[in-house]
């Protein structure tokens, strides 16, 4: 696999990539258009790339993904006449007469040992599907109304193959469930309800419910691509894991996990351990991190929601170039971090701090498109290195305590475009740095205002240039957009009315009370590690 490190760490690259067409069986992955050419029972539908809030198409093309992952259009194309039908039943599983010798049945264990396409239906209350094919073999397993459970280990294991494809047949409901204890708990033993040692793809228009009662729900010890399906995962540890990479192209994935929700965890190999959300919908409720990558986490298209987490998005490098992401966290909402930074006393919960020295490490947040909204009890957007905002919309409802900030950047916060509205406590407010080419204002309210308060910014003519509605109590607001002109004095009001989406919109000053006046580009105090500061900026 080629490394995606170079293009995933630069948001503009993802935004510049066009769409590629391909012919597929089933629903086309987001960002790919095509029609069925195989006569499959599932008919194709045209797909279109998800767009950012500004309408910019940012989905990475299938051609690019084919170069950098195991997935390509051929994975979803096959001759239905070559399918091997396997019917599962307790003590009576069977293979269709005259079918390939690539599948065998031993009691309630079904083993697939050769490349091909296998259609599985029926149920096993205490059985197992094993894929043990050659290292160059592609094995496609169609789940056609499958109910599979195991009382002593993983019920679905890919021991060996070049690639395993799990295709969810149209109109079918499928389920895979393991037990809370495994007989084999060795280091290299399977530890997920759906477990693969080979590259794994999940696709198709059907549904799949995965209960990982022992540890993980879905786990690939190689690469993982999610290209379709309506999938729910409930896991005792991590929800969905790809080791080298984890990619969401299409489908609707709902994850509930006691630990991390959706992640890639290769910490050893250069260029591996990355996550890409390139379409579809992802909804995560996590006991720890919502979406996590060791290397780079990119949201280029689709709809990502982290409903509950300790830290919402976490990686060394975080890129948002399109799509929508709505993040809720008990600690940091977006956290570009690792283990190398050393803080002086007074560090915030996310490993960053205000008013003291912090090492600026090789960590970045890069927002160039899309809509990112954050509701965080810790730091809202936290980078232990630098952060750049050049497009899209960032809305932060940050902490109510002064030990954290809505924006917390150890290095430089460069704002050159887009819209930024970051509300929270006033004690550690970070403002745009000296390299910013787009101006902004820093509003420090005399006292905290409650949730639901309308904060409005009006130019000298009385025209409202920004209206923001708080999600929770806030004592400060940092706002930057193309509507703010450097050196201009703006009047800040609380109250009045506003029509907003994601907290931002149009306002009316009827009934509003003047709270302050601020000059664009003048930040009032040295607050936080990213440089607020007293001088004049753009």
């Amino acid at each position: 696999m080629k490394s995606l490190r170079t293009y995933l760490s630069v948001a503009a690259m993802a935004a510049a990539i066009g769409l590629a067409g391909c012919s597929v069986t089933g629903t086309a992955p987001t960002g790919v258009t095509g029609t069925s050419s195989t006569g499959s029972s599932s008919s194709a539908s045209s797909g279109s790339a998800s767009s950012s809030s500004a309408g910019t198409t940012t989905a990475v093309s299938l051609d690019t993904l084919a170069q950098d992952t195991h997935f390509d259009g051929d994975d979803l194309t096959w001759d239905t006449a070559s399918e091997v039908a396997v019917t599962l039943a307790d003590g009576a599983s069977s293979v269709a007469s005259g079918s390939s010798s690539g599948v065998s049945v031993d009691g309630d264990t079904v083993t697939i040992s050769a490349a091909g396409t296998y259609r599985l239906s029926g149920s096993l209350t205490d059985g197992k599907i094993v894929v043990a094919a050659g290292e160059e073999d592609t094995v496609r397993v169609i789940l056609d109304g499958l109910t599979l459970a195991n009382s002593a280990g993983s019920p679905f294991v890919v021991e060996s193959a070049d690639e395993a494809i799990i295709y969810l047949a149209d109109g079918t409901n499928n389920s895979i469930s393991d037990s809370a204890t495994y007989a084999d708990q060795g280091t290299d033993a399977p530890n997920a309800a759906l477990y693969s040692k080979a590259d794994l793809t999940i696709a198709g228009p059907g549904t799949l419910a995965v209960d990982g009662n022992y540890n993980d729900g879905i786990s690939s010890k190689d690469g993982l691509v999610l290209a379709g399906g309506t999938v729910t995962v409930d896991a005792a540890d991590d929800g969905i894991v790809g080791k080298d990479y984890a990619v969401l192209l299409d489908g609707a994935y709902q994850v509930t996990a006691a630990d991390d929700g959706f992640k890639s965890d290769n910490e050893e190999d250069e260029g591996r351990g990355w996550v890409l959300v390139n379409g579809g919908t992802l909804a995560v409720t996590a006991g720890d991190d919502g979406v996590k990558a060791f290397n780079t986490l990119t949201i280029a298209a689709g709809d990502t929601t982290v409903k509950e987490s300790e830290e919402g998005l976490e990686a060394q490098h975080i890129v948002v170039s399109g799509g929508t992401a709505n993040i809720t966290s008990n600690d940091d909402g977006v956290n570009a971090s690792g283990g190398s930074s050393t803080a002086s006393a007074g560090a915030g919960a996310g490993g960053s701090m205000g008013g003291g020295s912090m090492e600026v490490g090789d960590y970045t947040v890069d927002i160039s498109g899309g809509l990112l909204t954050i509701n965080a009890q810790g730091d809202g957007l936290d980078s232990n290195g630098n952060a750049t905002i050049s497009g899209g919309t960032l809305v932060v409802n940050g902490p109510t305590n002064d030990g954290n900030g809505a924006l917390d950047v150890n290095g430089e916060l460069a704002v050159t475009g887009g819209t930024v509205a970051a509300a929270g406590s006033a004690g550690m407010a970070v403002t745009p740095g000296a390299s910013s080419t787009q101006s902004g204002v820093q509003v420090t309210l005399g006292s905290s205002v409650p949730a639901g308060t309308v904060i409005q910014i009006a130019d000298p003519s009385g025209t409202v240039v920004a209206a923001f509605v708080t999600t929770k109590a806030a004592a400060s607001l940092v706002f930057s957009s193309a509507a703010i002109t450097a050196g201009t004095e703006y009047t800040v009001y609380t109250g009045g009315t506003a029509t907003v989406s994601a907290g931002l919109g149009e306002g009316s000053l009827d009934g509003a009370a003047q709270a302050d006046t601020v000059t664009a580009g003048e930040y009032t105090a040295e607050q936080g590690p990213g440089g607020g500061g007293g001088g004049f900026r753009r």
Side-chain angles (χ1 to χ4, degrees), residues 30-230:
T30 296
V32 182
T33 59
T35 57
S36 175
S37 63
T38 64
S40 166
S41 59
S42 298
S43 61
S45 62
S46 295
S48 60
S50 298
S51 299
S52 72
S53 60
T56 302
T57 298
T58 58
V60 178
S61 73
L62 185 63
D63 286 346
T64 298
L65 288 169
Q67 297 173 16
D68 296 297
T69 73
H70 64 272
F71 180 80
D72 59 40
D74 291 341
D75 291 345
L76 305 184
T77 303
W78 69 91
D79 181 3
T80 57
S82 68
E83 293 178 5
V84 177
V86 182
T87 303
L88 305 180
D90 291 339
S93 295
S94 62
V95 183
S97 176
S99 293
S100 166
S101 60
V103 59
S104 61
V105 177
D106 181 7
D108 287 329
T109 298
V110 176
T111 302
I112 297 170
S113 57
T117 300
Y118 303 83
R119 184 177 289 267
L120 275 56
S121 60
S123 66
L124 289 174
T125 57
D126 191 6
K128 189 174 186 179
I129 305 299
V130 178
V131 176
E135 295 297 331
E136 301 299 321
D137 289 344
T138 295
V139 176
R140 186 179 296 102
V141 180
I142 302 170
L143 304 189
D144 189 5
L146 174 74
T147 301
L148 182 63
N150 191 288
S151 65
S154 173
F156 200 116
V157 176
V158 179
E159 287 285 353
S160 59
D162 179 51
E163 177 187 1
I165 302 163
I166 308 299
Y167 190 89
L168 311 176
D170 193 13
T172 67
N173 297 320
N174 307 277
S175 66
I176 299 174
S177 178
D178 64 4
S179 65
T181 59
Y182 276 25
D184 184 356
Q185 299 185 15
T187 302
D188 297 324
N191 66 344
L194 175 51
Y195 178 88
S196 178
K197 292 182 179 179
D199 288 329
L200 177 66
T201 298
I202 299 176
T207 71
L208 174 64
V210 178
D211 287 326
N213 298 298
Y214 170 65
N215 197 59
D216 297 344
I218 299 172
S219 179
S220 170
K221 295 303 180 182
D222 212 324
L224 174 66
V225 173
L226 309 177
T230 299

Side-chain angles (χ1 to χ4, degrees), residues 247-268:
V247 178
L248 174 60
L249 297 181
D250 203 357
Y253 285 75
Q254 182 171 312
V255 180
T256 302
D259 198 36
D260 300 330
F262 181 56
K263 75 175 185 180
S264 176
D265 61 359
N266 191 333
E267 301 182 11
E268 300 171 354

Side-chain angles (χ1 to χ4, degrees), residues 90-468:
D90 291 339
S93 295
S94 62
V95 183
S97 176
S99 293
S100 166
S101 60
V103 59
S104 61
V105 177
D106 181 7
D108 287 329
T109 298
V110 176
T111 302
I112 297 170
S113 57
T117 300
Y118 303 83
R119 184 177 289 267
L120 275 56
S121 60
S123 66
L124 289 174
T125 57
D126 191 6
K128 189 174 186 179
I129 305 299
V130 178
V131 176
E135 295 297 331
E136 301 299 321
D137 289 344
T138 295
V139 176
R140 186 179 296 102
V141 180
I142 302 170
L143 304 189
D144 189 5
L146 174 74
T147 301
L148 182 63
N150 191 288
S151 65
S154 173
F156 200 116
V157 176
V158 179
E159 287 285 353
S160 59
D162 179 51
E163 177 187 1
I165 302 163
I166 308 299
Y167 190 89
L168 311 176
D170 193 13
T172 67
N173 297 320
N174 307 277
S175 66
I176 299 174
S177 178
D178 64 4
S179 65
T181 59
Y182 276 25
D184 184 356
Q185 299 185 15
T187 302
D188 297 324
N191 66 344
L194 175 51
Y195 178 88
S196 178
K197 292 182 179 179
D199 288 329
L200 177 66
T201 298
I202 299 176
T207 71
L208 174 64
V210 178
D211 287 326
N213 298 298
Y214 170 65
N215 197 59
D216 297 344
I218 299 172
S219 179
S220 170
K221 295 303 180 182
D222 212 324
L224 174 66
V225 173
L226 309 177
T230 299
V231 179
T232 59
V233 176
D234 197 332
D237 193 54
D238 298 330
I240 300 177
V241 183
K243 183 177 181 181
D244 289 349
Y245 49 82
V247 178
L248 174 60
L249 297 181
D250 203 357
Y253 285 75
Q254 182 171 312
V255 180
T256 302
D259 198 36
D260 300 330
F262 181 56
K263 75 175 185 180
S264 176
D265 61 359
N266 191 333
E267 301 182 11
E268 300 171 354
D269 299 324
E270 178 69 23
R272 304 292 180 97
W274 52 268
V275 167
L276 170 64
V277 178
N278 199 51
T281 61
L282 174 64
V284 174
T285 299
D288 196 2
D289 299 328
V291 184
K292 182 176 184 177
F294 177 75
N295 190 336
T296 299
L297 189 167
T298 299
I299 298 176
D303 187 352
T304 301
T305 302
V306 177
K307 299 178 179 179
E308 183 179 332
S309 66
E310 285 304 306
E311 296 193 327
L313 307 180
E314 182 171 87
Q316 182 180 2
H317 303 286
I318 298 173
V319 176
V320 179
S321 61
T324 62
N326 189 346
I327 309 301
T328 301
S329 66
N330 294 324
D331 198 347
D332 298 343
V334 170
N335 187 26
S337 70
S340 65
S341 292
T342 303
S344 60
S352 297
M353 62 156 285
S357 62
M358 282 292 296
E359 177 184 344
V360 179
D362 181 21
Y363 312 110
T364 58
V365 175
D366 187 349
I367 301 171
S368 61
L371 170 62
L372 172 60
T373 60
I374 299 169
N375 186 335
Q377 298 301 321
D379 296 322
L381 184 149
D382 183 356
S383 175
N384 286 354
N386 297 313
T388 300
I389 302 169
S390 59
T393 299
L394 169 65
V395 177
V396 180
N397 283 276
T400 57
N401 67 81
D402 285 337
N404 294 284
L407 302 171
D408 185 3
V409 180
N410 291 0
E412 179 80 357
L413 171 60
V415 180
T416 61
T419 299
V420 179
S425 59
M428 289 182 61
V430 168
T431 55
S435 64
S436 298
T437 58
Q438 177 173 282
S439 195
V441 296
Q442 179 186 5
V443 176
T444 302
L445 302 169
S447 59
S448 180
V449 297
T453 299
V454 180
I455 301 174
Q456 305 193 61
I457 301 169
D459 66 16
S461 70
T463 300
V464 175
V465 297
F468 176 76

